[in-house]
């Protein structure tokens, strides 16, 4: 495979932590520390601990108070943020290029020197529980968590990222320290930088930060360092459901979806293209054209494809007046049937590829998006695909492959529905 890297990705840098730098011409610099420690890696007794850990690392370290952390980057005009997914925690910063060293040092300090104080933990649990409640008040958001919980029932992927009130209440500082000790190890991490800087200087800055804030991890030999953690399989026995949940509200919300391909399945490229045709940018979304523009049944409809290490999920969501629900379902199912049975014309396929390639090119011009994407790719593939490689994979998709993927993923016996 072609690689768009500045180092040999088979070599472990910084005792296992992967590192990737991309030169830019912007006065703005981006850096991110990605950690393979998401919801699926949690002890289910303490569901939500990954997300809570992400919150708590901003509440104080051995060297800085929470107040100092909050202003450390912002007083430079920069940004500091983080997020948690089912498979990783990502801490990232945007600063002027002359402040990159300070941002790198802070990310490393937050990761390796958290000071979990009981008083701060109790306050932050209230904040997260309020976040859970507010999320439940938004059916267009909550329905995705509920759909995934049903689809992956019995597996680690069924737990919502925010956790649940009953599991959050069980988490104390001891559990937070144990979680960090087990998961925040160099071999589970990738550090990425997009900046107008000298790569060797950036590597030296990162090395110094690691030696200051994580000397034990850096001084131990790679052979004796903890290995990357294996993850429990997520592929639940294939199940289908058509569940209706009664909720108060004017609108009906609906998800139609199924299990899909993981990161490592080559057929994912054809599915990405298919899902983009179904629910990509509104002007070219077939479902938007059908449900909104042509029939005025919905305000919005979208399709999404999420990939995990050993499985995936594809969803089609819409919200509509209750009287239009059944008609919307029929129209969506009719569109899926067309993809299963009618091959795309050469013109339609070429247009779909052009649109997707354009979206990827525009996204790759965004420094922050590129920095975050690089980190994710390193954690998953231990490499970053070049633009040319991505283009060739998309261009290689055929009309028959689109039909094959549609027939497999959207087979009537595989499709699941959840309706509010």
């Amino acid at each position: 495979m072609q690689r768009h890297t500045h180092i040999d990705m088979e070599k472990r840098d910084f005792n296992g932590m992967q590192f990737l730098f991309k030169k830019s011409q912007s006065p703005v610099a981006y850096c991110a520390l990605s950690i393979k420690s998401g919801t699926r890696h949690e002890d289910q007794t303490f569901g939500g601990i990954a997300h809570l850990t992400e919150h708590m690392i901003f509440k104080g370290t051995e060297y800085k108070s929470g107040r100092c952390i909050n202003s450390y980057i912002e007083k430079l005009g920069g940004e500091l943020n983080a997020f948690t997914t089912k498979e990783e925690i990502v801490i990232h910063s945007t600063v002027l290029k002359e402040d990159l060293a300070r941002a790198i040092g802070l990310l490393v300090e937050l990761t390796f020197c958290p000071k979990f104080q009981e008083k701060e933990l109790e306050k932050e649990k209230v904040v997260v529980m309020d976040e859970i409640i507010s999320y439940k008040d938004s059916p267009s958001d909550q329905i995705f968590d509920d759909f995934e919980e049903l689809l992956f029932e019995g597996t680690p992927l069924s737990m919502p990222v925010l956790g649940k009130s009953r599991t959050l209440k069980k988490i104390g500082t001891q559990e937070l320290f144990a979680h960090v000790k087990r998961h925040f190890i160099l071999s589970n991490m990738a550090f990425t930088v997009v900046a107008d800087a000298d790569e060797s200087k950036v590597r030296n800055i990162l090395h110094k930060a690691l030696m200051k804030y994580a000397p034990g991890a850096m001084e131990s030999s790679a052979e004796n360092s903890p290995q990357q953690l294996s993850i429990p399989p997520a592929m639940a026995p294939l199940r289908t459901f058509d569940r209706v949940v009664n909720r108060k509200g004017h609108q009906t919300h609906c998800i139609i979806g199924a299990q899909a391909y993981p990161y490592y399945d080559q057929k994912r490229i054809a599915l990405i293209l298919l899902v983009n045709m179904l629910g990509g940018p509104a002007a070219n979304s077939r479902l938007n054209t059908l449900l909104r523009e042509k029939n005025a049944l919905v305000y919005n409809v979208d399709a999404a494809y999420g990939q995990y290490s050993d499985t995936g999920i594809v969803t089609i969501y819409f919200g509509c007046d209750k009287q239009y629900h059944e008609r919307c379902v029929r129209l969506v199912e009719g569109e899926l049937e067309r993809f299963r049975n009618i091959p795309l014309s050469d013109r339609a396929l070429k247009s779909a590829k052009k649109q997707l390639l354009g979206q990827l090119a525009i996204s790759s011009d965004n420094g922050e998006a590129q920095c975050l994407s690089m980190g994710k790719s390193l954690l998953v593939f231990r490499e970053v695909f070049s633009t040319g490689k991505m283009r060739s994979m998309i261009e290689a998709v055929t009309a028959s492959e689109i039909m094959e993927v549609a027939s497999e993923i959207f087979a009537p016996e595989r499709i699941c529905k959840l309706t509010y």
Side-chain angles (χ1 to χ4, degrees):
M1 291 183 177
Q2 287 179 286
R3 296 179 178 183
H4 182 60
T5 60
H6 295 268
I7 57 174
D8 179 0
M9 291 315 304
E10 295 304 321
K11 178 182 178 183
R12 287 188 170 189
D13 289 84
F14 307 112
N15 266 23
M17 175 190 280
Q18 299 180 85
F19 170 78
L20 183 58
F21 171 86
K22 180 172 177 55
K23 178 80 172 179
S24 76
Q25 302 300 319
S26 172
V28 179
Y30 307 88
C31 57
L33 203 166
S34 304
I35 310 165
K36 192 177 292 186
S37 174
T39 308
R40 72 174 307 165
H41 303 97
E42 299 170 340
D43 178 338
Q44 295 301 293
T45 304
F46 306 110
I49 194 171
H51 176 252
L52 185 58
T53 299
E54 174 226 311
H55 275 233
M56 284 299 298
I57 60 177
F58 290 91
K59 297 303 174 182
T61 71
E62 296 172 12
Y63 303 92
K64 292 182 181 68
S65 67
R67 184 174 181 179
C68 179
I69 291 169
N70 289 334
S71 64
Y72 191 75
I73 296 297
E74 288 187 358
K75 69 182 181 182
L76 303 174
E79 297 177 355
L80 175 67
N81 214 331
F83 59 88
T84 303
T85 72
K86 291 292 178 81
E87 294 196 326
E88 64 267 329
I89 292 173
V90 180
I91 313 165
H92 58 102
S93 182
T94 303
V95 292
L96 293 176
K97 63 181 182 180
E98 57 264 32
D99 298 318
L100 180 59
R102 298 187 71 175
I104 290 174
L106 183 60
L107 296 194
V108 175
E109 180 185 340
L110 292 174
T111 303
F112 290 98
C113 306
K115 189 176 181 179
F116 298 134
Q117 298 174 305
E118 192 68 43
K119 181 180 178 180
E120 293 297 327
L121 174 58
E122 292 308 310
K123 289 193 294 185
E124 203 59 28
K125 283 200 284 189
V126 173
V127 172
V128 175
M129 288 180 188
D130 185 63
E131 187 178 359
I132 292 172
I133 293 170
S134 64
Y135 201 67
K136 289 181 181 294
D137 285 340
S138 175
S140 60
D141 292 325
Q142 181 64 36
I143 193 170
F144 284 91
D145 271 357
D146 289 347
F147 186 87
E148 200 154 328
E149 186 170 356
L150 288 169
L151 192 68
F152 296 120
E153 184 179 355
T155 77
L157 286 176
S158 65
M159 178 64 73
V161 171
L162 298 180
K164 297 184 178 182
S165 296
R166 60 179 171 78
T167 56
L168 288 173
K169 290 176 182 177
K170 301 176 183 178
I171 300 172
T173 57
Q174 182 177 345
E175 285 72 33
L176 290 177
F177 279 118
H179 182 83
V180 166
K181 182 178 180 181
R182 184 167 185 233
H183 296 280
F184 282 30
I185 56 179
L186 293 176
S187 55
N188 276 345
M189 298 180 181
F191 203 102
T192 51
V193 178
V194 175
D196 182 10
D198 180 78
E199 179 181 354
S200 62
K201 290 182 179 180
V202 173
R203 288 170 63 84
N204 188 49
I205 290 168
L206 178 57
H207 182 267
K208 287 182 177 179
L210 287 166
M211 288 302 297
K212 178 178 180 179
Y213 298 115
M218 287 296 288
E219 290 169 1
S220 63
S221 66
E223 289 77 14
N224 294 327
S225 297
Q227 298 301 304
Q228 291 193 45
L229 297 169
S230 59
I231 54 178
M235 284 299 288
L238 188 62
R239 59 170 59 87
T240 58
F241 54 86
D242 188 350
R243 187 76 58 89
V244 177
V245 177
N246 292 319
R247 290 179 60 119
K248 293 181 179 179
H250 174 71
Q251 267 198 325
T252 290
H253 302 267
C254 181
I255 287 182
I256 299 171
Q259 285 192 42
Y261 309 119
Y263 284 114
Y264 306 107
D265 195 318
Q266 183 60 31
K267 289 188 286 187
R268 70 189 175 89
I269 304 299
L271 184 55
I272 289 171
L273 188 58
L274 169 57
V275 170
N276 200 56
M277 284 187 280
L278 284 169
N284 292 287
S285 163
R286 295 198 176 199
L287 291 177
N288 183 75
T289 299
L290 183 63
L291 271 64
R292 176 174 174 166
E293 301 302 329
K294 185 177 179 179
N295 291 290
L297 299 174
V298 303
Y299 175 70
N300 74 298
V301 55
D302 60 60
Y305 171 29
Q307 301 163 64
Y308 299 118
S309 298
D310 53 1
T311 186
I313 177 173
V314 61
T315 57
I316 296 168
Y317 162 81
F318 63 85
C320 65
D321 286 347
K322 295 177 182 180
Q323 60 182 320
Y324 300 141
H325 171 247
E326 291 300 327
R327 187 179 174 194
C328 286
V329 170
R330 288 195 301 271
L331 289 171
V332 170
E333 290 178 340
E335 192 64 26
L336 297 180
E337 183 178 5
R338 277 186 282 277
F339 273 108
R340 292 195 300 265
N341 298 308
I342 303 173
L344 289 170
S345 67
D346 291 342
R347 181 178 179 180
L349 182 58
K350 182 178 180 180
S351 176
K353 291 177 179 179
K354 171 69 174 176
Q355 183 192 31
L356 181 58
L357 288 168
Q359 290 172 235
L360 292 175
I362 292 171
S363 175
S364 69
D365 198 47
N366 180 303
E368 181 178 69
Q370 195 169 53
C371 189
L372 298 177
S373 175
M374 285 160 51
K376 177 68 174 180
S377 188
L378 289 182
L379 288 186
V380 174
F381 300 108
R382 298 193 63 79
E383 65 179 335
V384 175
F385 298 123
S386 68
T387 302
K389 178 64 177 178
M390 288 302 301
R391 174 177 287 275
S392 65
M393 288 192 294
I394 293 170
E395 292 286 12
V397 175
T398 65
S400 61
E401 287 174 331
I402 295 288
M403 284 182 64
E404 177 187 350
V405 165
S407 297
E408 183 174 353
I409 299 300
F410 294 120
E413 64 272 16
R414 287 176 52 94
I415 289 178
C416 302
K417 298 189 190 75
L418 176 61
T419 305
Y420 281 177

